[in-house]
């Protein structure tokens, strides 16, 4: 009897160990394009959010929870996935209610023009990989995923086993989201071709979309959660104009059901969206446009009483610093003017490394009259490295060398991790000056550029 019990215990221990190994392999091998952003919603303290935004990229590039917190004291998060369709939004609404039971859920209906449960199965992987296992998730997969594809969702290793050749260091590191699920974009696209279809022009809402919209209305009513629907503007023209007609029809359908609906195609002037500056491409608003939409939502939600009971929260205030750093980490990559770039890094709270080929030329460059760079190098944070035959390291203040450089990396004495990883090719650069910019707030190298003294543009 004891022998049999011992065997059973060993088998169970082996199964548990094997399961843990497979789970870790699944996590490492899965693509992580959206994982940290989506997972951030599930990492929130339960029942701590007042509002949740749900939908495709049209909402997660546009709604900014930290802006709502800073301006209105509203705690919110975005639960969104690329190409998310209306059926999947229904299951996300159920998850939002189960984990947060917010006062308001805002659902974006971009994919309401589809009459199918799933457009592309690849879109579903990003969401399914990040969602915790639950009865709701299993019902979602059973409902939306064809039988022949379910194995790859139940056992991601089945799909990703060959990806081991593509693995990078990031696959083994914990990914952190600093945005509460948002993903602001900073490109500027001239959407002057935007055409607004008059509200009176309508087309029937596809049956599948309308069925799941009604399911969302019902589940929110049952749980005493206010549901708000919306669509974000995009350059729908030509063959896609019919989509605007469907969005117009949605306005009629939802009015009949007494559900609030904000169609931003018809609210561009009211919100102040400029088609020349507020889009990042033909389908999405950029950060400037998103700030305007978020401000509109903030005013509307505050009128409903959200933010009044939030009070102060030191953790949200602390996390907001990382959000601001995240924004700057994206903005810096949009700067190509040399002097503007140098102003940006000198005014920011950055740790950076300057690699120069010739120190005298570098000094002469800094002393040039007319340059926009007023040199105030932060003591102890800026390091010169140049090839003098010894690969020497020189702190900016000219004091004691408190860094290490072994032709592979430089380690800052302030940070917990190396500020810059330098391989043997890194210091073999062709520009006069190479700059590595590191943000301690988000623990990331946010940019690397080259500068030639005689040229106006940075080299990327």
């Amino acid at each position: 009897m004891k022998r049999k019990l011992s065997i059973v215990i060993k088998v169970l221990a082996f199964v548990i160990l094997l399961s843990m190994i497979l789970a870790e392999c699944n996590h490492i091998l899965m693509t992580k394009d959206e994982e940290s952003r989506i997972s951030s919603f599930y990492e929130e303290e339960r029942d701590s959010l007042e509002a949740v935004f749900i939908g495709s990229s049209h909402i997660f590039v546009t709604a900014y929870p930290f802006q709502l917190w800073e301006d209105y004291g509203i705690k919110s998060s975005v639960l969104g996935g690329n190409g998310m369709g209306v059926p999947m939004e229904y299951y996300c609404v159920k998850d939002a209610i189960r984990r947060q039971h917010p006062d308001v859920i805002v659902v974006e209906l971009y994919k309401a023009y589809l009459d199918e449960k799933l457009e592309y199965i690849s879109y579903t992987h990003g969401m399914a990989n990040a969602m915790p296992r639950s009865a709701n998730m299993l019902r979602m997969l059973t409902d939306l995923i064809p039988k022949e594809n379910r194995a790859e969702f139940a056992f991601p290793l089945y799909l990703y086993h060959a990806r081991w050749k593509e693995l990078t260091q990031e696959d083994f590191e914990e990914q952190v989201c600093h945005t509460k699920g948002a993903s602001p974009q900073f490109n500027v696209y001239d959407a002057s071709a935007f055409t607004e279809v008059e509200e009176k022009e309508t087309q029937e809402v596809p049956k599948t979309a309308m069925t799941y919209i009604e399911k969302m209305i019902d589940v929110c009513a049952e749980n005493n959660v206010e549901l708000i629907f919306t669509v974000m503007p995009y350059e729908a023209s030509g063959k896609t104009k019919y989509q605007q007609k469907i969005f117009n029809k949605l306005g009629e359908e939802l009015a009949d059901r007494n559900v609030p609906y904000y169609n931003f195609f018809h609210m561009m002037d009211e919100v102040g969206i400029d088609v020349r500056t507020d889009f990042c491409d033909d389908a999405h608003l950029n950060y400037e446009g998103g700030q305007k939409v978020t401000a509109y939502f903030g005013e509307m939600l505050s009128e409903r009483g959200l933010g009044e009971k939030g009070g102060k929260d030191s953790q949200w205030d602390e996390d907001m610093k990382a959000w601001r750093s995240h924004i700057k980490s994206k903005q810096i990559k949009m700067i190509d003017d040399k002097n503007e770039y140098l102003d940006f890094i000198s005014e920011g709270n950055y740790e950076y490394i300057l690699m120069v080929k010739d120190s005298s030329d570098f000094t002469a460059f800094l002393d040039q009259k007319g340059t926009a760079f007023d040199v105030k190098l932060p003591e102890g944070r800026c390091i010169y490295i140049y090839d003098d035959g010894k690969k020497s390291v020189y702190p900016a203040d000219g004091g004691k060398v408190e860094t290490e450089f072994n032709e592979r990396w430089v380690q800052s004495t302030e940070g917990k991790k190396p500020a810059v990883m330098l391989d043997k090719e890194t210091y073999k650069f062709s520009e006069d000056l190479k700059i590595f910019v590191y943000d301690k707030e988000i623990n990331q190298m946010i940019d690397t550029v080259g500068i030639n003294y005689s040229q106006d543009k940075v080299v990327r």
Side-chain angles (χ1 to χ4, degrees), residues 298-331:
E299 187 69 27
M300 178 259 289
L301 293 174
S302 65
E303 289 174 356
R304 286 166 160 80
L306 274 68
E308 293 179 356
K309 58 186 178 183
K312 292 188 177 181
D313 190 310
S314 58
Q315 188 59 56
W316 273 71
D317 290 338
E318 186 66 26
D319 291 344
M320 191 163 59
K321 295 177 184 178
W323 158 256
R324 289 171 179 158
S325 288
H326 175 83
I327 297 299
K328 287 185 175 295
S329 75
K330 304 300 180 183
Q331 290 174 328

Side-chain angles (χ1 to χ4, degrees), residues 409-447:
W409 52 265
V410 172
Q411 180 167 339
S412 162
T413 57
E414 293 190 17
K416 294 180 180 179
K417 296 177 63 177
V420 182
M421 299 299 291
L422 299 176
D423 57 32
K424 291 186 178 181
E425 297 301 316
T426 303
Y427 53 81
K428 296 178 182 178
F429 56 99
S430 58
E431 296 80 27
D432 296 323
L433 168 66
K434 194 163 187 175
I435 306 177
F436 300 83
V437 185
Y438 175 78
D439 191 322
K440 294 182 295 180
E441 191 67 49
I442 55 177
N443 197 26
Q444 287 180 8
M445 182 67 60
I446 62 171
D447 204 18

Side-chain angles (χ1 to χ4, degrees), residues 266-295:
H266 305 307
M267 300 168 62
M268 302 272 281
D269 292 338
E270 180 182 354
V271 178
I273 294 175
D274 189 330
V275 294
R276 297 165 300 177
T277 61
D278 292 345
F279 285 81
C280 70
D281 54 33
D282 62 353
H284 304 89
L285 293 169
N286 61 20
Y287 181 58
E288 294 299 319
Q291 285 182 300
K292 296 174 182 179
V293 170
T294 300

Side-chain angles (χ1 to χ4, degrees), residues 94-315:
K94 293 184 70 176
D95 250 15
I97 293 173
R98 180 172 64 89
R99 299 184 71 92
Q100 290 294 335
H101 207 285
D103 298 298
V104 176
I105 295 178
V106 180
V107 177
E108 168 268 321
L109 294 175
Y110 165 52
K111 291 291 185 177
Y113 62 81
L114 291 176
D115 195 15
E116 52 190 311
K117 290 184 177 182
L118 197 63
E119 184 177 18
Y120 301 112
I121 199 165
S122 58
Y123 287 158
T124 313
H125 279 291
M127 180 59 66
N129 290 347
M131 289 177 77
R133 296 294 185 262
S134 67
N136 183 53
M137 179 196 177
L138 293 177
R139 282 192 291 268
M140 179 187 80
L141 296 179
T142 302
D143 183 16
L144 306 185
I145 306 300
K147 289 183 179 180
E148 61 270 21
N149 296 105
R150 289 176 188 170
E152 64 195 58
F153 287 88
F155 306 101
L157 200 60
Y158 174 83
L159 180 67
Y160 298 113
H161 67 277
R163 191 176 166 264
W164 64 271
K165 299 177 182 178
E166 306 169 12
L167 294 179
T168 65
Q169 183 63 32
E170 290 185 355
D171 287 294
F172 296 89
E173 297 176 348
E174 181 182 358
Q175 303 300 308
V176 180
C177 175
H178 303 288
T179 67
K180 299 288 184 182
S183 181
Q185 304 297 303
F186 293 87
N187 291 328
V188 177
Y189 171 83
D190 187 346
S192 296
F194 176 89
T195 303
E196 180 184 351
V197 175
E198 292 186 21
E199 286 188 82
K200 64 182 180 182
E201 295 186 49
T202 62
Q203 183 173 321
E204 289 301 313
V205 182
K207 182 178 179 181
T208 301
M210 202 65 226
T211 297
Y212 282 89
I213 287 171
E214 290 174 340
K215 284 175 175 284
M216 284 187 264
I217 294 172
D218 291 342
V219 74
C220 285
E222 291 167 5
N223 289 276
N224 196 30
V225 173
E226 182 175 5
L227 178 63
I228 296 173
F229 288 112
T230 187
V231 287
M232 294 295 119
Y234 56 94
E235 199 179 60
S237 57
K239 293 182 179 179
T240 60
K241 277 188 177 181
Y242 79 94
Q243 295 170 7
Q244 280 199 55
K245 295 179 181 179
I246 291 173
F247 300 149
N248 289 341
K249 183 64 176 179
L250 272 171
E252 298 177 0
E253 297 283 0
L254 294 172
D256 290 341
R257 293 164 173 79
N258 296 314
V259 178
Y261 173 62
Y262 294 86
N263 184 343
F264 282 89
F265 279 95
H266 305 307
M267 300 168 62
M268 302 272 281
D269 292 338
E270 180 182 354
V271 178
I273 294 175
D274 189 330
V275 294
R276 297 165 300 177
T277 61
D278 292 345
F279 285 81
C280 70
D281 54 33
D282 62 353
H284 304 89
L285 293 169
N286 61 20
Y287 181 58
E288 294 299 319
Q291 285 182 300
K292 296 174 182 179
V293 170
T294 300
Y296 186 91
F297 275 120
E299 187 69 27
M300 178 259 289
L301 293 174
S302 65
E303 289 174 356
R304 286 166 160 80
L306 274 68
E308 293 179 356
K309 58 186 178 183
K312 292 188 177 181
D313 190 310
S314 58
Q315 188 59 56

